[in-house]
């Protein structure tokens, strides 16, 4: 089952490149069928997640992907496939922002999986990080939407490369800052 999770993650990361090359080489029906298989794997792999909210995201994003590729193949419109990154950003924004209205933010719950006795400073910190990710999903989702209105090349460049660099940079910067913050607050 762990293999399914890895396969699902790799397929979703490669989604923009698969759309770009697949549409040009094999057409929407073939690419749609292949992507539908990966979305089904995504739905099945979501069962492994420890947090129920992440399971829902897996199910919803997989279902949205299947819907987009089915409609795209049915109407022979590859443009529908381009909206998947927008949907994923909207789902992630919904997940992260809704957790801000709960006692524990999503990032706090994830942090508590490794550190059950999270101090008050850690709780405050994780709430701020959750807010930062919300801003990221708003900006990233907006840009992803704008690229849907541009050429397939630009859409692929942003959604298949630049957005991953931005997300990775935010994640890496936060990790470095967190190490410094922990040292500062434990000394």
């Amino acid at each position: 089952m762990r293999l399914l999770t890895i396969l699902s993650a790799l397929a979703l990361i490669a989604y923009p490149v698969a759309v770009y090359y697949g549409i040009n080489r094999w057409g929407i029906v073939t690419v749609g069928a292949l992507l539908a298989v990966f979305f089904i794997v995504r739905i099945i792999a979501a069962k492994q997640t420890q947090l129920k909210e992440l399971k829902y995201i897996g199910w919803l994003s997989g279902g949205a992907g299947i819907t987009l590729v089915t409609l795209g193949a049915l109407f022979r419109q590859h443009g529908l496939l381009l909206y998947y990154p927008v949907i994923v950003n909207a789902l992630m924004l919904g997940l992260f922002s809704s957790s801000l209205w709960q006692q524990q933010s999503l990032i706090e719950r994830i942090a508590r999986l490794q550190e059950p006795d999270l101090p008050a400073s850690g709780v405050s910190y994780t709430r701020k990080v959750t807010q930062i990710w919300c801003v990221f999903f708003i900006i990233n989702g907006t840009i992803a939407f704008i690229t849907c209105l541009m050429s397939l090349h630009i859409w692929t460049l942003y959604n298949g490369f630049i957005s991953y660099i931005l997300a990775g940079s935010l994640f890496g910067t936060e990790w470095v800052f967190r190490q410094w913050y922990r040292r500062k607050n434990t000394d």
Side-chain angles (χ1 to χ4, degrees):
M1 205 56 157
R2 189 99 164 115
L3 179 62
L4 280 180
T5 303
I6 293 168
L7 236 139
S8 171
L10 290 175
L12 293 176
I13 289 170
Y15 179 86
V17 175
V19 169
Y20 181 78
Y21 286 109
I23 295 296
N24 292 326
R25 293 188 182 187
W26 303 300
I28 183 94
V29 174
T30 304
V31 170
L34 181 63
L35 290 172
V37 169
F38 284 117
F39 287 125
I40 290 168
V41 169
R42 171 85 174 127
I43 291 168
I44 294 168
K47 287 183 176 181
Q48 290 185 314
T49 307
Q50 289 183 349
L51 296 174
K52 68 178 179 184
E53 294 89 353
L54 296 179
K55 286 181 186 184
Y56 298 150
I57 291 297
W59 296 336
L60 289 171
S61 64
I66 290 170
T67 301
L68 289 175
V69 297
T70 301
L71 291 173
L74 184 67
F75 294 112
R76 304 229 185 257
Q77 291 291 319
H78 77 272
L80 294 171
L81 301 181
L82 306 182
Y83 290 92
Y84 184 71
V86 178
I87 291 170
V88 170
N89 276 281
L91 289 172
M92 296 302 285
L93 174 62
L95 174 67
F96 277 67
S97 64
S98 68
S99 78
L100 291 170
W101 299 102
Q102 299 168 10
Q103 188 173 353
Q104 293 181 342
S105 69
L106 178 64
I107 301 284
E108 179 184 345
R109 287 199 300 270
I110 292 170
R112 285 187 184 277
L113 292 174
Q114 291 184 343
E115 192 176 337
D117 298 323
L118 196 64
S121 62
V123 171
S124 173
Y125 177 81
T126 56
R127 186 160 289 279
K128 288 175 184 153
V129 171
T130 303
Q131 293 168 343
I132 290 169
W133 276 103
C134 288
V135 171
F136 173 81
F137 292 127
I138 290 168
I139 294 168
N140 195 52
T142 301
I143 295 170
F145 177 76
I146 291 168
T147 65
C148 292
L149 308 173
M150 298 178 167
S151 72
L152 186 58
H153 177 73
I154 291 172
W155 177 86
T156 305
L157 178 64
Y158 182 78
N159 293 288
F161 182 68
I162 295 171
S163 68
Y164 294 138
I165 297 295
L166 294 173
S169 296
L170 177 56
F171 186 82
T173 302
E174 187 279 321
W175 184 86
V176 168
F177 182 80
R178 183 177 355 128
Q179 303 313 307
W180 172 82
Y181 185 81
R182 287 177 108 183
R183 270 185 253 130
K184 177 185 162 207
N185 287 312
T186 56
D187 292 338

